[in-house]
Amino acid sequence: MKTALDTQALDQLFREAHTYSHFTDEAVSDDTIRDLYELLKWGPTSMNTQPARYVFVRGAEAKEMLVPAMVASNAEKTKKAPLTVIVGMDSEFYEHLPTQFAAYDAKPMFAGNAALAEATAFRNGTLQGAYLIMAARALGLDCGPMSGFDPAKVNAAFFPDGRTKANFLINLGYGAANGHHPRGPRLPFEQVAKIV
């Protein structure tokens, strides 16, 4: 029987976690990046589609390619962040279904329907980006997810083949003291949910 996580774990993942704009200079190691993927990959996607693709931007040259695509309010914090993840989505994710989804041959339903493939890639790739955030928090990292960037510039620089497209970006690292804004409120249950 599974048990609920303890209060400290729940605080780290949800209640005390913040969106960070500023990080310390401490680098995120290759081992931590790999550990991050080894956790997030287990999050569910429909038909095990796994459409998300990740580019971990850390080097100075790669940052110089990324920063000009950011809106002004995100450019400097992205330049200074130890690591930025581009969460992309593979429009031809279904090529992997024969080895990843054994229940039946689902590849033709996507290969012959670009609209369905695009909607599936967006929905499930976004889920995988959320799993990345939670896995990062579980590993002691802080996150700054962003949507303020020019997708065409990011795609041209990092996904030139056109098969993968940027969905959103996440700055990662170890949050600096006072590196986040005060927590905003959240809507109450009664305003957003009902039990039927």
Side-chain angles (χ1 to χ4, degrees):
M1 185 116 178
K2 294 177 181 165
T3 58
L5 297 177
D6 64 27
T7 297
Q8 180 181 350
L10 294 174
D11 284 348
Q12 181 169 322
L13 293 173
F14 293 99
R15 294 186 290 239
E16 298 298 326
H18 290 269
T19 295
Y20 273 79
S21 296
H22 305 288
F23 300 87
T24 69
D25 293 333
E26 185 177 350
V28 179
S29 70
D30 287 2
D31 286 343
T32 300
I33 292 170
R34 290 183 176 277
D35 289 346
L36 176 60
Y37 178 72
E38 290 302 316
L39 279 179
L40 81 89
K41 73 179 184 181
W42 296 111
T45 55
S46 62
M47 295 183 186
N48 205 25
T49 49
Q50 305 170 71
R53 301 294 179 263
Y54 314 95
V55 178
F56 292 90
V57 180
R58 183 172 55 193
E61 186 176 322
K63 283 280 182 136
E64 288 302 318
M65 293 168 56
L66 179 61
V67 169
M70 309 303 294
V71 299
S73 60
N74 288 336
E76 192 62 23
K77 62 185 174 184
T78 299
K79 186 175 183 178
K80 291 181 176 180
L83 181 66
T84 303
V85 187
I86 303 169
V87 180
M89 48 195 172
D90 181 359
S91 62
E92 298 178 28
F93 62 86
Y94 49 80
E95 295 292 333
H96 300 283
L97 286 177
T99 61
Q100 300 299 299
F101 184 68
Y104 57 87
D105 184 10
K107 180 179 173 181
M109 76 185 298
F110 296 106
N113 188 335
L116 178 62
E118 182 179 355
T120 300
F122 178 71
R123 182 180 308 109
N124 290 280
T126 302
L127 272 175
Q128 289 183 281
Y131 301 146
L132 189 153
I133 292 169
M134 301 313 294
R137 288 175 172 178
L139 292 174
L141 293 166
D142 294 300
C143 307
M146 302 172 289
S147 58
F149 66 97
D150 183 333
K153 288 182 180 177
V154 173
N155 292 337
F158 294 93
F159 306 120
D161 66 358
R163 175 173 167 158
T164 300
K165 296 196 174 7
N167 186 349
F168 65 102
L169 284 69
I170 307 168
N171 285 335
L172 288 176
Y174 301 94
N178 301 314
H180 58 79
H181 296 293
R183 179 183 293 284
R186 299 300 192 266
L187 295 170
F189 181 91
E190 291 73 19
Q191 193 168 347
V192 300
K194 60 183 176 180
I195 301 170
V196 297

